[in-house]
Amino acid sequence: MQYAIPAWDLPVVPVVAGGLPFPVRHIYCVGRNYAEHAKEMGGDATKEPPFFFTKAADAIVPARPPEVARIAYPMATQNLHYELELVVAIGKSGANVKAAEAQSLVFGYAVGLDMTRRDLQNDMREKKRPWDIGKSFAQAAPIAPITPVEQTGELAKGEITLLVNGETRQHGDLSQMIWDVPHMIEFLTRLYRLEPGDLIFTGTPSGVGPVVAGDRLEGRIEGLTPLVVEITEPAA
Ligand code: MN
C-alpha cells in the first residue's frame, strides 16, 4: 500500500512464549473500578455503572523483558501519576454482549500502566471538560507482554501490586473490582462494538501517586509477566 505521507508501524504488544505480536486497534479504560481508589479520587464506593474513557493506540509502549521499558516524563504536566491495571486484550468482535458470554471475546491479559497527567485531568474535570489531555498522550500506556487466556484461565482474582523504587505503593486483589471483566464488557459493548485488537484497562487499586524522572516502576499481577518501566528526563 502506498500512502500520501510516510506511514508508521501498527502499535503492537508482544505475546509471551514466542507468540505472534498482538496489534492494537483501540484502547478503552474504565474509571474508578476499585472502591478505595474511588474514595481517594473524591467519590464514594456506591455501585454506579462503570464509565469509560479512551487513549490513542499509539500511546502504547510495549515492554520486552528483560529490557526495561523507558518512557520520557511527558510535556505539559507537573504531576505525572501511575495507575497499575489489569489489561484485557480482545480477540473477537462483539456488540451487546451479555456478561455470561463476555469471556469468549477475551484473547488474553497483561499488566499495564494508565499513566495520567493528573494536574491536567483534574483541571478538565473541575471545568466539566473532557479528560483527554490528562489521559491520552505520548507513551501514556506502557504494557507488558500478553498471556493468552488458554494459559491463565479466566482472571477474576489475584494480587495486583506496584512498587516504585522498590517500595510498595499500590496493593490489592483483582477480586476487589467493583465491576468484574465480564460485566465491564457487557456495559462497554452497549456503547461500542469491541473488535479484535482492542485493549481494556480495567481500573486501578488505591495508592496512586506521582513519579519523577529517574523513578523505576514495577507492576505485578499474579500469573502474568511483570511490567518494569523507568521514567527518563523529558524529551528535548
Ligand atoms: Mn486508570
Side-chain angles (χ1 to χ4, degrees):
M1 175 75 88
Q2 291 212 315
Y3 298 97
I5 56 168
W8 48 92
D9 292 335
L10 202 58
V12 297
V13 181
V15 172
V16 297
L20 293 170
F22 181 92
V24 179
R25 186 189 300 262
H26 202 104
I27 304 173
Y28 297 97
C29 305
V30 181
R32 299 187 185 179
N33 200 29
Y34 290 77
E36 291 304 311
H37 173 63
K39 280 188 218 166
E40 77 182 350
M41 296 305 289
D44 60 40
T46 52
K47 192 159 178 165
E48 291 178 1
F51 67 92
F52 303 96
F53 58 92
T54 68
K55 290 180 190 267
D58 65 0
I60 284 292
V61 180
R64 293 184 167 83
E67 284 174 51
V68 173
R70 289 187 174 80
I71 65 173
Y73 197 91
M75 60 196 297
T77 184
Q78 311 296 325
N79 196 16
L80 177 67
H81 273 210
Y82 53 77
E83 296 187 1
L84 182 68
E85 310 200 357
L86 173 71
V87 181
V88 178
I90 298 296
K92 293 206 174 83
S93 177
N96 295 307
V97 177
K98 294 293 174 209
E101 281 88 50
Q103 195 59 31
S104 67
L105 269 59
V106 175
F107 170 83
Y109 304 96
V111 178
L113 280 161
D114 166 16
M115 299 305 292
T116 301
R117 297 193 290 198
R118 189 75 73 202
D119 43 0
L120 298 184
Q121 183 203 13
N122 287 347
D123 189 35
M124 291 298 104
R125 196 174 66 184
E126 279 161 25
K127 292 173 178 156
K128 300 190 173 175
R129 290 176 181 168
W131 287 10
D132 301 45
I133 62 169
K135 288 291 193 180
S136 185
F137 52 91
Q139 302 187 308
I143 182 168
I146 295 168
T147 304
V149 66
E150 291 77 17
Q151 292 173 43
T152 59
E154 182 175 349
L155 271 196
K157 58 181 169 46
E159 283 186 66
I160 174 168
T161 308
L162 179 76
L163 297 91
V164 180
N165 303 324
E167 283 181 24
T168 302
R169 298 286 181 81
Q170 293 190 277
H171 181 71
D173 195 283
L174 300 179
S175 63
Q176 296 165 336
M177 284 186 191
I178 296 172
W179 295 101
D180 63 15
V181 170
H183 286 90
M184 198 182 297
I185 289 174
E186 178 171 326
F187 277 102
L188 189 53
T189 62
R190 288 179 198 164
L191 298 166
Y192 302 99
R193 173 177 288 278
L194 282 174
E195 298 288 3
D198 289 345
L199 297 177
I200 307 171
F201 280 65
T202 59
T204 196
S206 60
V208 300
V211 284
V212 296
D215 283 346
R216 178 187 170 97
L217 288 69
E218 184 175 347
R220 300 176 187 161
I221 296 175
E222 258 184 285
L224 301 179
T225 304
L227 173 63
V228 182
V229 171
E230 266 179 29
I231 313 293
T232 65
E233 295 294 333

